[in-house]
Every structure is written in C-alpha cells, then in structure tokens.
Amino acid sequence: TELSRHLLSQGYEDVISPTGNVGGEIAGNKTGDIVAVVGDARIGIEVKFDKQLRFGDLETRDPNAKGDTALSQLAETGANRLAAVSMIVFDKNRVDPSIATRAPNGLQFFPKFGFIVIIDTSQGDFSRLLIAYEIARMLLINNVPRTGVDPEVLDIFVQRLVQWSSTFKTVDNQLKAIKKSADKIGDLLDDAAAQLQ
C-alpha cells in the first residue's frame, strides 16, 4: 500500500498490520482496519469508503440511535486497537457531505477523537494520509498524547501542511506540463531539422 511504501522510503521501523478481520479489545468488534506500531505506541486507522456514514456529534446524538458515525468510529478505533492516535480515512468520491464539510481540505484533527482524512484514489492522491501519519507519528514520538496538545496550535499546523502540500502538487503538475510542452517542441524541431536536411 501507499503507506507501506512511504515508511520504506523514509527508513522507518514502524510495523504496520492489517487488523480489519481480527477482533480487538472490545468483544466482537473489528473496528480499526490497520494498526501501526511506533515504538511502544499505536496508531489506529479505520478505512471507510462508505457514502452513508455521516459525521455525527456525540454530544447531541441520541444514545439509542443505531448506526455508526465518523466520530464514533474514531473513538471505537482508539479503544478497540489501544491506539494513542486514531484516524479514519475516506475516499473523496465516496464520502458524505457532512464529513467533507468538516474536513474541507481533506484533513482535519478533532481533539479527543483523532484525524479525519480524505484521499483521492481516482487521482492516486494519498498525500493527506501521509501528512496525517507523519503528524500522528511525531505526536507519539514526542509523547504528546500523554502530555496533551493545544488543539488550536495543532489545527494551524495541520492546515499549513495541507496548504504547502497543495502548493507543491500544483507546482509539480505545472512543471510536468511545461516539460511535456518542451518535449513536443523538441520533437517538432527535430522533425523540421530532418526535413531541412
């Protein structure tokens, strides 16, 4: 997967395990599709390509309501996989608007819950997942889940990283377009030179 390739490219010794078919700490519960072990701490990742799952609000939610929400899945992932940091991943083309509006740039941190990440599989864009993983990893390495984090500072940090990532991707795409045009011009010049000869 993209995450495994990223860890390999960075030389990390983190251990990633698929856990979606294995029960966790909560009896009969398999929430938390992937667990990454960083040192002695865990990152729990739930993958939900489900347009029916809504954002949810635990404070106003009917306690007798049936069905999951993004927030409840984040909370479950942490509890079920003993994860210090949790994230839930959606695909851009299969996500409910109530979630997309809460993570307008494709990545949002929610204190006491974790990260909502929106990737774009059709474009092969996993950048938000990699940014979220790097932040989660830094939090674990620096023992932040135990010592606490200022959610406003973390939110600013997350949004700046997303902005820089988007700028880099835009510039990279423009450079590729320029190179493609330059290659076409080079081919035309080669043809013209051949015809002149």
Side-chain angles (χ1 to χ4, degrees):
T1 67
E2 196 67 28
L3 189 53
S4 296
R5 280 194 289 271
H6 176 70
L7 299 187
L8 189 61
S9 74
Q10 298 302 308
Y12 295 157
E13 295 181 3
D14 307 359
V15 177
I16 294 183
S17 305
T19 53
N21 294 324
V22 180
E25 294 297 310
I26 302 170
N29 192 315
K30 296 180 181 178
T31 305
D33 295 311
I34 299 166
V35 170
V37 179
V38 181
D40 62 350
R42 295 174 167 206
I43 300 170
I45 304 171
E46 174 71 3
V47 179
K48 281 287 186 193
F49 290 178
D50 180 359
K51 203 165 187 173
Q52 305 305 313
L53 191 71
R54 297 184 54 75
F55 177 76
D57 187 340
L58 295 187
E59 291 179 9
T60 59
R61 182 173 164 83
D62 177 358
N64 297 318
K66 294 189 177 180
D68 291 320
T69 66
L71 288 183
S72 71
Q73 288 281 281
L74 270 173
E76 267 184 53
T77 297
N80 198 40
R81 300 301 174 190
L82 299 177
V85 180
S86 300
M87 59 182 75
I88 186 166
V89 181
F90 295 93
D91 181 71
K92 181 180 180 181
N93 301 309
R94 290 173 280 181
V95 63
D96 185 83
S98 67
I99 295 168
T101 56
R102 293 296 187 103
N105 294 316
L107 177 59
Q108 191 68 48
F109 175 74
F110 294 91
K112 300 179 183 173
F113 292 99
F115 293 92
I116 286 184
V117 181
I118 301 175
I119 61 174
D120 189 348
T121 56
S122 65
Q123 296 296 314
D125 183 0
F126 298 90
S127 60
R128 304 306 189 257
L129 173 61
L130 302 182
I131 290 171
Y133 187 85
E134 285 292 338
I135 294 169
R137 191 173 190 279
M138 282 187 274
L139 292 174
L140 294 182
I141 289 170
N142 292 292
N143 207 24
V144 173
R146 292 187 186 95
T147 60
V149 61
D150 183 333
E152 289 182 14
V153 171
L154 184 57
D155 185 52
I156 291 168
F157 182 62
V158 168
Q159 297 314 314
R160 288 278 167 85
L161 282 175
V162 169
Q163 181 182 10
W164 292 333
S165 170
S166 296
T167 301
F168 175 81
K169 190 168 181 67
T170 300
V171 171
D172 186 52
N173 288 340
Q174 289 173 349
L175 285 173
K176 285 177 182 171
I178 290 168
K179 184 181 182 308
K180 190 174 179 182
S181 294
D183 289 345
K184 282 184 182 177
I185 292 169
D187 290 343
L188 288 171
L189 286 173
D190 288 345
D191 288 345
Q195 288 176 17
L196 280 172
Q197 288 177 354

